[in-house]
């Protein structure tokens, strides 16, 4: 068995980094008011801005507070024993540190951050360097009554890292970035990954062994292994590689009352799977410290291509056939008419290139069709064979082939969306997403109901919008729907405007029998819908588990369970 270990735990350089103050600690962190690296921008072309202005109306550009102006609540002192447990360099109390852990990255989070007025911020940030340090901190917090919010990459879009006190005197953000172990078992094709590794860090470590995890959510650049597990994340290639939870073979959770660790066997029939209980627990049961995942060789060939389906219903039938005939590409994403139109306008394809595409589509009577992006990854011959088989299903369903260029363009820009959102917010527009899933039988009605609810709610707010959707994460029995909506913001009432639309969309999802979340998780925003999702007894069962693992109730109060 060949095995490679890389441990940064207890590494003196890592301890020095933890002591080195704001600049070093902030290096590699997201910009505090938006997404990603502050040096990167995704400027919108003139055509895109003109389209927004004509369809949504002229918006009042949004101001952004400077970091020095941000108002945060006064921190409360935390028990000294916490600093003793992790070492003084691993407790941060500076204002910038607290601002950076005060919110996730949903639209309301960004509105609050940009406004410069934060009602909530953690009292301190604690950076444990090992599962043993996590255990000590949780034990102290339980004893002393301090709420603990596990913090991975802080990319939650459902209020998962909101520093709620839950009635306790203090709240700390437990930043897990120092849990960075990598342990590859080549023979079994599994790897144990520390919870604090970000997507690219985990992929780099695996690539050094010629391996990949294949988990590429749009938040890949910043989200962490622990966060993926805690939220049951689904990546863009989930149809081929599987959702993150499907990649996990074993998991370790440190709870205030002790450690749960599952065996490294591929499967076990020894009762209900504890692994499943930990996956998706969103920090409410304890801290996931490391996860053993299935990995595979880096693909020899990657191939992306696009088609234009006649309409969304026909496109959904094509994806269903692909799934049910066992020829599903590793990546499959069907945009509805609105998303197709807006993506083409935002893509920057202009002039001769755009005219060429329009002419080609007119010829095939697809001028108002729906874009289907597919991707295959793996061994060269297998990729080519699967591509050909899927092509037959796509053509039989009436899709016109657009070739590789639009597929490659999607691949190149797959992590651009959140940067574009920052630009939209600067211009004064609201841009938000939400997702759900249903069986194939229920998907059409769910699509109609959610789209109508978002559209009607935006119009009732006096800010009619564009509502777009794509279908992805396809299964034999159903798929996920991912909605994006844009509208003018209501200056000064952005949060009320967002709440109204979100409530309308959630009510429509529940009414249509969809799940309240396919992969973003529950957090604070979806907690009120958990009773409907799992039923009263289901909720009591989850509460009983929490009470057993976290009797003081300090773990991530107000999240997951209403
Ligand atoms: C622009 C954007 C695009 C996104 N795209 C996708 C996508 O394609 N697919 C997808 O699934 N999601 C997506 N998300 C949502 C988000 O990225 C995922 O939920 C991700 O898994 C969160 O990881 P994180 O490390 O940032 O976790 P955080 O945001 O830090 O935490 C999320 C929740 O998990 C808890 N938590 C974090 N780490 C641990 C741990 N080690 N132990 C216990 N609890 C923990 C936190 O307390 C919180 O409740 C997107 C978000 C954004 C902003």
């Amino acid at each position: 068995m060949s095995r490679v270990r890389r441990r940064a735990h207890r590494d003196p350089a890592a301890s020095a980094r933890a002591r080195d103050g704001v600049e070093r600690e902030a290096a590699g962190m997201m910009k505090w008011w938006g997404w990603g690296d502050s040096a990167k921008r995704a400027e919108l072309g003139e055509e895109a801005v003109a389209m927004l202005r004509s369809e949504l109306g002229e918006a009042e550009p949004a101001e952004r507070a400077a970091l020095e102006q941000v108002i945060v609540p006064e921190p409360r002192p935390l028990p000294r024993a916490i600093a003793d447990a992790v070492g003084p360099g691993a407790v941060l109390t500076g204002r910038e540190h607290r601002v950076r852990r005060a919110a996730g990255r949903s639209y309301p989070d960004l509105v609050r951050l940009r406004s410069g007025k934060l009602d909530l911020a953690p009292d301190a940030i604690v950076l444990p360097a090992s599962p043993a340090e996590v255990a000590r901190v949780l034990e102290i917090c339980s004893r002393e009554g301090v709420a603990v919010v596990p913090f991975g990459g802080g990319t939650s879009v459902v209020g998962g890292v909101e520093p709620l006190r839950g009635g306790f005197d203090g709240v700390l953000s437990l930043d897990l970035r120092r849990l960075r172990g990598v342990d590859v078992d080549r023979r079994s094709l599994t790897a144990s990954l520390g919870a604090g590794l970000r997507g690219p860090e985990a992929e780099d470590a695996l690539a050094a062994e010629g391996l990949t995890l294949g988990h590429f959510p749009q938040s890949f650049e910043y989200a962490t292994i622990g966060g993926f597990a805690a939220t049951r994340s689904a990546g863009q290639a989930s149809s081929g590689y599987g959702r993150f939870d499907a990649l996990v073979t074993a998991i370790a959770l440190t709870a205030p009352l002790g450690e749960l660790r599952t065996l490294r066997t591929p499967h076990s029939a020894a009762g209900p799977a504890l692994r499943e209980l930990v996956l998706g627990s969103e920090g409410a049961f304890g801290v996931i410290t490391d996860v053993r995942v299935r990995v595979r060789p880096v693909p020899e060939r990657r191939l992306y291509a696009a088609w234009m389906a006649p309409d969304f219903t026909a496109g959904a039938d094509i994806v269903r056939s692909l799934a049910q005939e066992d020829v599903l590409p590793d990546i499959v994403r069907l945009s509805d008419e609105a998303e197709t139109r807006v993506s083409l306008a935002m893509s920057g394809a202009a002039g001769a290139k755009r005219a060429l595409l329009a002419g080609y589509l007119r010829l095939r009577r697809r001028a108002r069709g729906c874009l289907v992006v597919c991707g295959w990854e793996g061994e060269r011959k297998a990729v080519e064979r699967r591509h050909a088989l899927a092509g037959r299903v796509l053509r039989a369903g009436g899709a016109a082939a657009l070739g590789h260029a639009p597929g490659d363009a999607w691949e190149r820009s797959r992590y651009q969306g959140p940067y574009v959102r920052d630009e939209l917010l600067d211009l004064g527009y609201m841009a938000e997403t939400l997702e759900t899933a249903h069986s194939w039988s229920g998907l059409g009605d769910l699509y109609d109901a959610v789209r109508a609810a978002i559209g009607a709610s935006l119009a009732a707010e006096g800010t009619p919008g564009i509502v777009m959707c794509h279908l992805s994460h396809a299964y034999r029995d159903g798929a996920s729907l991912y909605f994006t909506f844009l509208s003018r913001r209501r200056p000064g009432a952005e949060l009320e405007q967002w709440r109204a639309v979100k409530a309308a969309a959630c009510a429509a999802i529940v009414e249509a029998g969809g799940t309240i979340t396919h992969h973003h998780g529950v957090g604070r925003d979806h907690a009120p819908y958990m009773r409907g999702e799992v039923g009263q007894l289901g909720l009591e069962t989850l509460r009983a588990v929490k009470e057993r693992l976290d009797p003081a109730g300090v773990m991530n109060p107000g999240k997951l369970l209403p």
Side-chain angles (χ1 to χ4, degrees):
M1 183 181 298
S2 93
R3 180 169 291 178
V4 182
R5 280 175 199 273
R6 278 184 210 88
R7 294 261 178 221
H9 296 167
R10 305 253 172 235
D11 163 359
S15 313
R17 271 200 300 280
R19 276 194 299 274
D20 254 10
V22 174
E23 288 76 19
R24 270 178 183 274
E25 186 270 337
M29 285 196 87
M30 269 191 278
K31 45 189 195 241
W32 67 271
W33 52 269
W35 182 261
D37 182 345
S38 52
K40 263 202 218 165
R41 275 191 70 185
E43 274 180 67
L44 292 168
E46 274 174 32
E47 192 187 345
V49 175
M51 181 203 71
L52 292 169
R53 290 200 169 125
S54 104
E55 295 194 25
L56 304 177
E58 196 77 40
E60 190 182 310
E63 298 283 312
R64 223 194 289 135
L67 183 57
E68 313 76 67
Q69 298 166 336
V70 179
I71 301 165
V72 281
E74 273 301 301
R76 301 188 195 176
L78 293 179
R80 271 201 66 85
I82 294 176
D84 295 341
V86 290
V91 178
L92 308 171
T93 51
R95 214 167 57 96
E96 175 166 350
H97 300 299
R98 297 176 58 228
V99 170
R100 287 183 177 281
R101 307 325 188 285
R105 285 299 178 270
S106 65
Y107 174 74
D109 290 331
L110 298 184
V111 167
R112 278 191 288 260
L113 287 166
R114 285 164 164 255
S115 76
K117 291 185 209 95
L118 296 177
D119 296 337
L120 298 170
D123 295 312
I125 293 89
V126 175
L127 297 112
S130 65
E133 286 190 4
V134 171
R136 281 204 289 280
V137 173
L138 299 193
E139 191 259 311
I140 297 161
C141 289
S142 292
R143 199 177 59 226
E144 305 282 339
V146 176
V148 179
V149 181
F151 191 98
T155 68
S156 169
V157 281
V158 291
V161 292
E162 197 105 350
L164 301 175
R165 283 178 195 282
F168 295 102
D169 284 342
V171 54
L172 63 81
S173 175
L174 197 70
D175 189 323
L176 300 162
R177 66 181 50 213
R178 292 170 76 201
L179 302 183
R180 312 176 57 76
V182 175
D183 175 2
V184 176
D185 177 350
R186 272 210 76 96
R187 190 171 172 84
S188 311
L189 280 183
T190 63
S192 171
L193 300 171
L197 291 166
R198 286 188 189 166
E201 292 170 336
E203 279 294 338
D204 286 351
L206 293 171
E209 301 298 315
L211 299 170
T212 180
L213 175 59
H215 183 68
F216 302 113
Q218 198 186 42
S219 52
F220 171 72
E221 292 168 299
Y222 290 88
T224 61
I225 294 296
F228 295 148
T231 60
R232 305 184 75 182
S233 161
Q236 292 166 342
S238 77
S239 298
Y241 290 85
R243 290 183 321 270
F244 190 82
D245 52 354
L247 297 172
V248 174
T249 69
I251 197 157
L253 177 92
T254 298
L257 227 65
E259 192 192 38
L260 282 183
R261 189 173 274 278
T262 65
L263 290 183
R264 283 171 49 176
T265 57
H267 180 66
S268 159
L274 278 179
R275 183 184 58 216
E276 292 294 320
L277 203 59
V278 174
L279 289 164
S281 56
E282 299 193 14
F285 294 172
V287 174
I288 296 165
T289 51
D290 63 78
V291 183
R292 183 160 286 273
V293 285
R294 298 187 175 92
V295 294
R296 54 176 91 186
V298 171
E300 188 186 358
R301 172 105 162 95
R302 291 191 164 92
L303 191 153
Y304 304 96
W307 275 264
M308 196 65 97
D311 56 41
F312 195 57
T313 308
D317 277 339
I318 292 173
V319 180
R320 181 171 59 81
S321 299
L322 289 167
Q324 294 179 345
E325 292 172 29
D326 261 344
V327 286
L328 201 56
D330 298 317
I331 294 156
V332 62
R333 174 185 167 129
L334 163 72
S335 296
D336 70 356
E337 285 83 352
E339 190 176 274
T340 301
R341 185 174 61 78
V342 172
S343 324
L344 290 178
M346 298 252 188
S347 70
K353 202 169 151 198
R354 173 71 71 82
L356 210 67
L357 178 66
Y360 174 85
L361 290 172
R362 257 198 311 278
L363 252 163
R364 279 154 186 78
R365 303 212 171 100
R366 293 288 177 276
R368 292 172 52 76
C370 289
L371 192 64
V372 192
V373 173
C374 298
W376 296 263
E377 304 192 345
E379 191 269 323
R380 186 172 299 277
K381 284 229 161 59
V383 162
E384 281 157 16
R385 185 172 44 81
R386 293 172 61 218
H387 174 227
L389 288 171
R392 268 185 232 157
V393 175
L394 280 144
R395 274 188 296 277
L402 300 181
H404 297 297
D408 292 339
W410 172 84
E411 208 281 320
R412 278 194 305 275
S413 63
R414 64 199 288 183
Y415 304 123
Q416 283 291 304
Y419 292 93
V420 173
R421 181 177 58 165
D422 284 346
E423 300 290 316
L424 291 168
L425 265 65
D426 278 347
L427 288 170
Y429 294 105
M430 165 162 78
E432 178 63 318
T433 63
L434 53 91
E435 40 75 53
T436 174
H438 211 317
S439 63
W440 290 113
S441 307
L443 210 65
D445 288 346
L446 179 67
Y447 170 73
D448 291 340
V450 178
R451 203 164 134 249
I454 297 173
S457 172
L458 287 171
E461 290 292 301
T463 55
I466 302 174
V467 186
M468 311 175 256
C469 180
H470 64 254
L471 181 159
S472 53
H473 311 296
Y475 306 83
R476 288 178 80 86
D477 55 337
S480 147
L481 294 176
Y482 188 97
F483 291 87
T484 303
F485 49 94
L486 309 176
S487 82
R488 252 178 314 122
R489 75 187 170 102
R490 280 181 47 205
E494 290 90 347
L495 296 178
E496 291 82 346
Q497 181 189 20
W498 173 83
R499 263 186 224 111
V501 185
K502 177 80 177 171
C506 289
I509 289 173
V510 172
E511 175 70 25
T515 173
I516 200 68
T517 173
H518 171 266
H519 56 268
H520 283 168
V522 179
R524 174 162 111 163
D525 297 345
H526 294 149
Y529 301 94
M530 276 299 271
R531 184 169 283 107
E533 186 86 16
V534 300
Q536 182 58 30
L537 188 56
L539 206 54
E540 284 167 21
T541 307
L542 291 175
R543 281 216 178 97
V545 172
K546 178 168 170 73
E547 276 162 25
R548 182 70 187 94
L549 295 170
D550 172 28
V554 293
M555 293 308 306
N556 217 1
K559 321 296 162 46
L560 184 66
L561 300 167

